Amino acid sequence: MTTAPGITYRLARPEDAPAIEALDSSFTTATVFEAAATDTGFALREVPVDPPVRKVFPSEEHDEQEIGEDADTDRRTFVAVDGDELCGFAAVGYSAWNRRLTVEDIEIAPAHRGHGIGRALMEHADAFARERGAGHLWLEVSSVNAPAVHAYRRMGFVFCGLDTTLYDGTPAAGEQALFMSRTVG
């Protein structure tokens, strides 16, 4: 992994909202995870797919209240920028009742993937988690997003749960939600 030179990391500002909305979060993968619930837990198996799966996420409206100085004190959106270009972002929220920092969304522009930007954004999330007293970072990822699963595992996340019905009734029906966590560094 190389670290991208010249990238600046900071809290998102209201003027970042259009670039966050426009970020291409699509991916293509030649493998997916098959998840199966068992009587004692769940089993995961990475399997090849032919042809490769191309996933384009529907546009989301990111809550602009998370962006800027008036943001909720337990929510942050961190951005990575190269000059005037937004390279990626991570939106996180802290829950005091279980001391969990949830990574609600993390997206890296395709041209900037593999350069350490996701890891750096996750480290900003980790620093915020420490500031809040969180014990762990937690996230949800689709079973077809093998590239993200591999990236999260390289960042120290481990599988901690499965929901086989979370996406029922959505365009992602048939996929399973994989939950991953890591201890706050």
Side-chain angles (χ1 to χ4, degrees), residues 10-161:
R10 60 171 170 75
L11 286 174
R13 301 175 185 145
E15 60 269 22
D16 295 322
I20 288 171
E21 293 294 329
L23 195 69
D24 176 6
S25 60
S26 66
F27 65 90
T28 301
T29 181
T31 63
V32 300
F33 285 88
E34 286 184 348
T38 68
D39 58 345
T40 59
F42 65 95
L44 290 175
R45 184 172 67 123
E46 189 170 4
V47 297
V49 289
D50 188 26
V53 171
R54 174 153 171 77
K55 175 86 176 199
V56 177
F57 292 96
S59 347
E60 295 182 65
E61 290 188 21
H62 297 91
D63 187 352
E64 291 186 33
Q65 294 172 346
E66 296 174 23
I67 299 173
E69 293 180 22
D70 295 331
D72 179 334
T73 59
D74 287 332
R75 302 177 79 76
R76 293 287 184 277
T77 299
F78 301 99
V79 295
V81 293
D82 185 3
D84 292 333
E85 180 186 8
L86 184 103
C87 304
F89 75 94
V92 300
Y94 172 68
S95 296
W97 76 272
N98 62 354
R99 296 182 48 238
R100 170 186 286 173
L101 189 83
T102 300
V103 179
E104 297 165 355
D105 199 356
I106 182 167
E107 299 178 16
I108 311 301
H112 296 281
R113 293 177 187 160
H115 300 287
I117 292 170
R119 179 179 296 276
L121 287 167
M122 201 65 81
E123 292 309 316
H124 283 273
D126 191 86
F128 179 59
R130 285 192 310 275
E131 176 186 311
R132 286 291 182 264
H136 62 278
L137 298 168
W138 182 89
L139 58 83
E140 170 266 321
V141 61
S142 167
S143 57
V144 302
N145 196 347
V149 169
H150 291 292
Y152 299 142
R153 289 178 82 184
R154 286 189 303 271
M155 291 181 219
F157 284 84
V158 296
F159 294 111
C160 64

